[in-house]
Amino acid sequence: FAFPRVIGSFVAADYAVFALMLLVSAAIGMYYAIVGRGQSSSREFLMGGQSMTAVPVALSLTASFMSAITVLATPAEVYRYGASYGLFSLSYVLVVVVSSEVFLPVFYRLGITSTYEYLEIRFNRATRLLGTVMFIVQTMLYTGIVIYAPALALNQVTGMDLWGAVISTGVVCTFYCAMGGLKAVVWTDVFQVGIMVAGFLSVIIRAVVLQGGVSNILNHAELGGRLNFWDFDASPLRKYTFWTITFGGTFVWTSIYGINQAQVQRYISCKSMTHAKMSLYINLLGLWIIMLCSVFAGLCLYSVYKHCDPWTAGMVSAPDQLMPYMVMDILRDYPGLPGLFVAAAYSGTLSTVSSSVNALAAVTIEDLIKPYTHMTEKHLYATQQKEYVLLHKICCLEVRNSKICLCLLLRPLGLTTHGCNFTTAAYAFNWTTSPTEPSLYTTVLQQNTAERPFLADNWYSLSYLYFSPIGTLTTLAVGLVVSLLSGTLPQMVVLLLTILHVVSN
């Protein structure tokens, strides 16, 4: 039986809220373009003239990697795997401490714009170019997914035009990035963080009212095994446990906050190292707030659909459609609120894309153009503005199809469809579902049990959070062995001692 994916549609108020978010974002870019009209230097454009203060940079750091994928996927992960996902809040503490006390002082005192300049200082220009090229390719691929994936999910559930959303957000993002530079990106992020929190709260408050209070939602979550914070299973094949999230998650997020160009470029734009460090610690509070909202939204999702899982029943075709499905379900009688949630999702997209494109422009200018040309500052500034348009077009077009493979060892928690029996009295469509009908999820799992190679149950089933620590430790081990064999180990020791001295001072 074919179930309708779109359970509601946007009304004029929803489109108005979404359009207002885009207009305010564009207005911020225009404001900083007018205010900074006489300041057309490359460093002013990319680094905000190193005049930024802690609070706006902190909120920008929070927004940069809290994309629409976070808004849609994190509640779905909590719905399927439990609230242990919230333990990332612990790993964030370690990440902020390491980033602020180890990485930040080195980058700030070097006075660099591109983090890959460090590679030339430490090694040579070829290493710097290799790092730059790898970053550009990875960021373009990532940005394409950030733009397209949430647009597809929201289109299939809300009926919002797919390419209209992609193009409108792309045009607005390109506009305020190219017009206002880093200052526009940072202050637009501040506005968009507020929209993200407001979108989450609109869904959470309505779900709490429908379910009879916070205590009922928590009781439902406990009975369904979703309050699984203290899972100390040491198996590296489990997707989310205390160890995978706190240990593996620390490595994953340190690679982002410690050395990623998009993040480093923000905190070294602060007017002093004190403000830079403060921005990271204030950002920690922002990360906790977003995490609390997304985890509790996932618990609300489970409470509402504890007896009828929309994904297993075939009402949605992918887990990332669960959150917008619930939004259209419980907020359909409140015009404008579904639009607010979609605005929240696209605020995440705008903040992530603007940060990525800003970082791409910075490394392209600093690593690929500046060392090999003798452009004036005015010429560089004009080139950067053109780059924003070109880079964003490439990122928007970097969309590809893929097949998703379900792994048994990820062990999603139990879901049921025994309560699926809806009529037009409660829903906009007249349809029912029988729990005896096999779902797409069940069918795929049955197919996966037929023949599985040895590596599928071992290396391929390793929690994705362990890939980063394994890669880091492997790099360190190989680097030490090669240095020892090539006779450069003493120089490495001297370098390490120098870095520790710089950090301690």
Side-chain angles (χ1 to χ4, degrees), residues 354-376:
S354 62
S355 300
S356 298
V357 174
N358 187 262
L360 286 171
V363 299
T364 303
I365 287 290
E366 295 295 324
D367 299 333
L368 302 182
I369 296 178
K370 222 173 180 180
Y372 306 100
T373 62
H374 299 285
M375 291 185 182
T376 63

Side-chain angles (χ1 to χ4, degrees), residues 41 110 148 153 181 228 292 341 343 354 360 383 386 394 415 451 502:
S41 71
L110 286 174
Y148 184 73
N228 54 350
L292 177 63
F341 179 80
S354 62
L360 286 171
T383 302
K386 294 175 183 177
I394 295 173
L415 298 167
E451 291 185 9
V502 170

Side-chain angles (χ1 to χ4, degrees), residues 420-492:
C420 295
N421 185 17
F422 304 109
T423 64
T424 52
Y427 287 80
F429 298 92
N430 184 10
W431 46 264
T432 58
T433 173
S434 169
T436 61
E437 295 174 355
S439 67
L440 170 65
Y441 178 65
T442 304
T443 303
V444 173
L445 289 184
Q446 289 173 348
Q447 291 173 351
N448 283 351
T449 58
E451 291 185 9
R452 293 174 60 83
F454 173 77
L455 288 178
D457 290 329
N458 294 276
W459 175 252
Y460 296 156
S461 296
L462 189 69
S463 173
Y464 75 94
L465 293 170
Y466 280 141
F467 291 155
S468 184
I470 288 175
T472 302
L473 295 175
T474 301
T475 301
L476 289 174
V478 172
L480 287 173
V481 170
V482 171
S483 298
L484 183 62
L485 294 177
S486 61
T488 59
L489 188 59
Q491 291 92 324
M492 289 191 66

Side-chain angles (χ1 to χ4, degrees), residues 289-361:
I289 292 172
I290 295 293
M291 180 58 67
L292 177 63
C293 289
S294 57
V295 168
F296 193 75
L299 298 181
C300 291
L301 188 62
Y302 177 75
S303 179
V304 172
Y305 297 115
K306 59 186 178 295
H307 297 313
C308 180
D309 171 35
W311 184 41
T312 308
M315 303 168 202
V316 296
S317 60
D320 59 359
Q321 297 172 13
L322 288 167
M323 194 64 184
Y325 182 90
M326 183 175 74
V327 169
M328 298 305 296
D329 187 3
I330 68 176
L331 294 178
R332 69 173 68 198
D333 296 327
Y334 300 87
L337 289 186
L340 178 61
F341 179 80
V342 171
Y346 278 102
S347 290
T349 293
L350 285 171
S351 63
T352 302
V353 172
S354 62
S355 300
S356 298
V357 174
N358 187 262
L360 286 171

Side-chain angles (χ1 to χ4, degrees), residues 204-248:
I204 289 172
I205 292 172
R206 178 59 180 158
V208 168
V209 172
L210 284 176
Q211 299 305 105
V214 173
S215 59
N216 283 344
I217 290 176
L218 294 177
N219 287 337
H220 297 158
E222 185 174 11
L223 291 173
R226 262 62 186 178
L227 300 185
N228 54 350
F229 290 106
W230 310 116
D231 183 353
F232 292 99
D233 188 344
S235 172
L237 306 183
R238 294 284 306 281
K239 187 175 184 180
Y240 297 124
T241 66
F242 179 86
W243 306 114
T244 59
I245 294 175
T246 55
F247 178 71

Side-chain angles (χ1 to χ4, degrees), residues 92-342:
Y92 291 157
V93 177
L94 298 174
V95 168
V96 166
V97 171
V98 172
S99 298
S100 64
E101 304 303 329
V102 177
F103 291 99
L104 185 153
V106 175
F107 287 123
Y108 198 92
R109 284 174 177 151
L110 286 174
I112 59 180
T113 300
S114 167
T115 56
Y116 301 98
E117 293 178 57
Y118 173 81
L119 294 178
E120 182 173 358
I121 296 171
R122 172 63 184 88
F123 300 104
N124 52 45
R125 181 165 290 183
T127 306
R128 174 182 177 178
L129 288 175
L130 177 62
T132 299
V133 171
M134 291 175 66
F135 170 77
I136 290 173
V137 173
Q138 183 267 335
T139 304
M140 284 186 172
L141 293 173
Y142 171 72
T143 306
I145 294 172
V146 166
I147 295 170
Y148 184 73
L152 181 62
L154 291 165
N155 161 260
Q156 292 187 340
V157 178
T158 67
M160 189 174 186
D161 184 75
L162 173 63
W163 290 108
V166 170
I167 293 172
S168 63
T169 54
V171 168
V172 170
C173 185
T174 304
F175 175 80
Y176 72 73
C177 285
M179 294 298 291
L182 182 68
K183 285 184 178 179
V185 172
V186 168
W187 282 104
T188 307
D189 285 347
V190 173
F191 165 69
Q192 289 161 355
V193 166
I195 296 295
M196 291 169 70
V197 173
F200 269 129
L201 290 179
S202 67
V203 180
I204 289 172
I205 292 172
R206 178 59 180 158
V208 168
V209 172
L210 284 176
Q211 299 305 105
V214 173
S215 59
N216 283 344
I217 290 176
L218 294 177
N219 287 337
H220 297 158
E222 185 174 11
L223 291 173
R226 262 62 186 178
L227 300 185
N228 54 350
F229 290 106
W230 310 116
D231 183 353
F232 292 99
D233 188 344
S235 172
L237 306 183
R238 294 284 306 281
K239 187 175 184 180
Y240 297 124
T241 66
F242 179 86
W243 306 114
T244 59
I245 294 175
T246 55
F247 178 71
T250 298
F251 275 83
V252 171
W253 282 93
T254 299
S255 69
I256 294 173
Y257 272 82
I259 62 173
N260 187 281
Q261 174 68 27
Q263 301 296 75
V264 174
Q265 191 173 338
R266 272 152 187 69
Y267 57 66
I268 63 177
S269 70
C270 290
K271 61 184 180 181
S272 69
M273 190 180 295
T274 301
H275 275 271
K277 287 189 175 184
M278 283 177 59
S279 72
L280 280 169
Y281 285 105
I282 297 172
N283 154 76
L284 179 60
L285 180 60
L287 291 175
W288 282 345
I289 292 172
I290 295 293
M291 180 58 67
L292 177 63
C293 289
S294 57
V295 168
F296 193 75
L299 298 181
C300 291
L301 188 62
Y302 177 75
S303 179
V304 172
Y305 297 115
K306 59 186 178 295
H307 297 313
C308 180
D309 171 35
W311 184 41
T312 308
M315 303 168 202
V316 296
S317 60
D320 59 359
Q321 297 172 13
L322 288 167
M323 194 64 184
Y325 182 90
M326 183 175 74
V327 169
M328 298 305 296
D329 187 3
I330 68 176
L331 294 178
R332 69 173 68 198
D333 296 327
Y334 300 87
L337 289 186
L340 178 61
F341 179 80
V342 171

